[in-house]
Amino acid sequence: MIATPLETATLPPGIRSRFVRGVNGLDIHILEAGYAPAGRPLVLLLHGFPEIAYSWRKVMPALAEAGFHAVAPDQRGYGRTTGWSPDFDTDLRPWRTLNAVRDALGLVAALGHRSIHAVVGNDFGAGIAAWCALVRPDVFRSLALMTPFGGPPDLPFATDGKEPAPPATPTIHEALAALPRPRKHYQWYYATRPANAQIMHCRQGVHNFLRAYYHHKSADWKGNKPHRLAGWTAEELAKMPTYYIMDLFDDMPAAVGKEMPSAAEIAANQWLTEAELAVYAGEWQRTGFQGGLNWYRSRTSGTFEGELQLFAGRTIDVPSIFIGGMSDWGIYQTPGAFERTQEVCTRMVSCQLLDGAGHWVQQEQAEQVIPLLLDFLRQQAAA
């Protein structure tokens, strides 16, 4: 793949698009604001799925105006960053969590920094941001999360002389499929071979798929009334909307297509206009979705959990903040993860859930996110 910078006309004033070459095998495409004068404190912004660096466009100018150098990369598998394989059958080792941390660390180093002011993440990017702060707190000196992080996986303890626990039966996937309304978990759907083609060639087209997907997970969809779940059981998980716990025989375009917003709702949307959505759609139509989906394949396979257990029991001890959407089911999709985040982050200074925001909080309610984030960043600068 050969990529060029994002067209200036699609970007807010003050944001530029360029490449940082030769980072952990990648040519990383970044959006940046506040890049002059040199030497400003760096804030790294990490996106999720199905997003790209462009998802931070509403936050970056405010960070720049406040004196920070804001950098948002297209992560491995996304957007205009190149050097990764778009194939389903590719080696999954580059999609290991710790390799994503290496990507972030390499980018920071390439930009000429020994440490940065903060790393900020939403969705998949929140998990990477959290691991950055956990593994290299000397580099990533503060952390802002917009999606929970449950901490590193536990290492089996006091097992000597004991028989291994038998696998759970039925599995959670068997239990979901056996419900009166048969269901399946979206992450395991995204890990399947057909997922990319089903999205790329869906009946409604990529643009309208993304419109429905973003709408369905936002505060605009009035069915989003999240609450804590009692546990990791099929009956509890099935209380979530179908963008997380899908009907068994649906693909994702079918699942979200049932909640496609009306023409009037689309016209009224100010946080994601049709012109802005066209930027996302154009990028995904060009690259396909498999790069982003490979992160789900890596995670659900369990293959690389052993290396993450090296950090079992470790906490995140840099100053941190949580900013989420009150209408975001992502806060509760893994029972206990939201509470665990506040334990793992031992210096959590604030935990805010914003009205009028779902999963895409930095886009849906940028005017609320910006002052909270700036207050946090300024407090850390003063300290």
Side-chain angles (χ1 to χ4, degrees), residues 80-332:
R80 303 198 170 206
T81 290
T82 59
W84 50 272
S85 169
D87 298 330
F88 180 87
D89 293 309
T90 191
D91 181 359
L92 283 180
R93 285 177 295 179
W95 275 266
R96 291 158 30 245
T97 296
L98 293 184
N99 199 45
V101 175
R102 172 65 179 83
D103 291 344
L105 183 65
L107 177 59
V108 167
L111 292 171
H113 293 267
R114 299 291 183 187
S115 66
I116 70 170
H117 192 69
V119 58
V120 184
N122 186 28
D123 190 81
F124 151 78
I128 303 308
W131 275 103
C132 285
L134 188 148
V135 174
R136 291 301 305 267
D138 58 320
V139 176
F140 303 94
R141 293 186 290 114
S142 64
L143 168 69
L145 295 175
M146 297 176 179
T147 304
F149 173 68
D154 290 332
L155 192 66
F157 188 74
T159 58
D160 184 32
K162 299 178 181 177
E163 291 294 323
T169 53
T171 67
I172 189 64
H173 308 294
E174 292 167 339
L176 284 168
L179 289 172
R181 178 184 174 183
R183 308 287 283 277
K184 63 186 176 188
H185 196 286
Y186 81 105
Q187 291 188 11
W188 277 262
Y189 163 74
Y190 276 153
T192 65
R193 183 180 293 274
N196 177 60
Q198 288 172 344
I199 298 172
M200 286 296 294
H201 306 298
C202 62
R203 182 176 60 183
Q204 65 264 55
V206 168
H207 183 100
N208 283 341
F209 162 72
L210 291 171
R211 172 59 73 188
Y213 194 88
Y214 292 136
H215 172 77
H216 202 5
K217 295 183 75 170
S218 77
D220 295 345
W221 189 68
K222 302 310 178 186
N224 280 326
K225 301 184 185 301
H227 55 81
R228 287 174 174 81
L229 300 176
W232 186 258
T233 66
E235 291 74 16
E236 285 295 295
L237 295 183
K239 295 176 180 178
M240 288 193 283
T242 53
Y243 53 77
Y244 278 147
I245 305 301
M246 304 165 64
D247 287 319
L248 183 60
F249 299 107
D250 276 353
D251 57 24
M252 188 60 81
V256 300
K258 297 172 186 177
E259 304 299 336
M260 181 70 180
S262 68
E265 289 175 308
I266 293 170
N269 189 314
Q270 296 301 305
W271 63 268
L272 186 60
T273 66
E274 281 291 272
E276 290 172 323
L277 182 62
V279 176
Y280 285 107
E283 293 299 275
W284 288 113
Q285 287 166 335
R286 185 174 54 79
T287 64
F289 288 83
Q290 193 59 61
L293 296 178
N294 278 344
W295 290 106
Y296 289 95
R297 294 183 56 224
S298 173
R299 181 182 302 175
T300 58
S301 73
T303 303
F304 308 112
E305 183 163 325
E307 68 179 18
L308 299 181
Q309 289 175 330
L310 287 168
F311 304 93
R314 284 281 298 272
T315 54
I316 295 174
D317 302 320
V318 301
S320 58
I321 187 173
F322 187 93
I323 305 171
M326 199 173 290
S327 298
D328 182 12
W329 263 108
I331 292 172
Y332 303 113

